[in-house]
Each structure stands twice: as structure tokens, then as C-alpha cells.
Amino acid sequence: MKKQKTERYARTVRQVKQVQQIYSRIGEPLPVEILIDLHQHLGRAMELAEETRCAHRGKRTSNA
């Protein structure tokens, strides 16, 4: 479980850095408030997506 949280955090950091790079390429700095919001909300969104994906994996339908 701890490893999953670490991996999720690392993915979140990578995605935030990618957004920063996009803004850097167009010559606009990414405001600090946006960075904080991205870290807070993106991490939770990724967690929910992972839970949904795992829930779908566990469901099986039978054609009996």
C-alpha cells in the first residue's frame, strides 16, 4: 500500500512537471496557486481512477 502511494505521488509530480514545461514553452510561468491545486486534486483524481480500474477488473460476468 505504501509503495502504491509513493508511485501515485511520483506520477502526480511527473504530470505537474509536464504541465510546467508546457507553460514554460509558451513563455508563461505557472502560478503557485495552480501548482498547489494540481498536486492536491490531481493526486486524488488519479487515486479514484485507479480504484475504478481495479473495481472493473474484479467484476466478471458469467454466461451460464
Side-chain angles (χ1 to χ4, degrees):
M1 184 69 169
K2 187 176 182 179
K3 183 179 178 184
Q4 286 178 334
K5 283 191 175 206
T6 303
E7 290 174 3
R8 189 178 307 122
Y9 178 76
R11 283 194 327 235
T12 302
V13 169
R14 279 194 304 270
Q15 288 188 347
V16 170
K17 284 185 180 184
Q18 288 174 346
V19 172
Q20 281 183 297
Q21 288 175 352
I22 291 169
Y23 273 76
S24 175
R25 286 184 198 140
I26 60 173
E28 289 288 326
L30 195 57
V32 174
E33 298 85 16
I34 301 295
L35 287 173
I36 292 169
D37 286 345
L38 279 172
H39 274 283
Q40 289 175 342
H41 300 295
L42 185 60
R44 180 66 182 142
M46 291 173 68
E47 184 179 322
L48 290 172
E50 188 174 317
E51 288 173 6
T52 303
R53 187 175 38 157
C54 290
H56 288 291
R57 250 190 239 157
K59 293 183 179 179
R60 299 212 179 230
T61 57
S62 65
N63 295 332

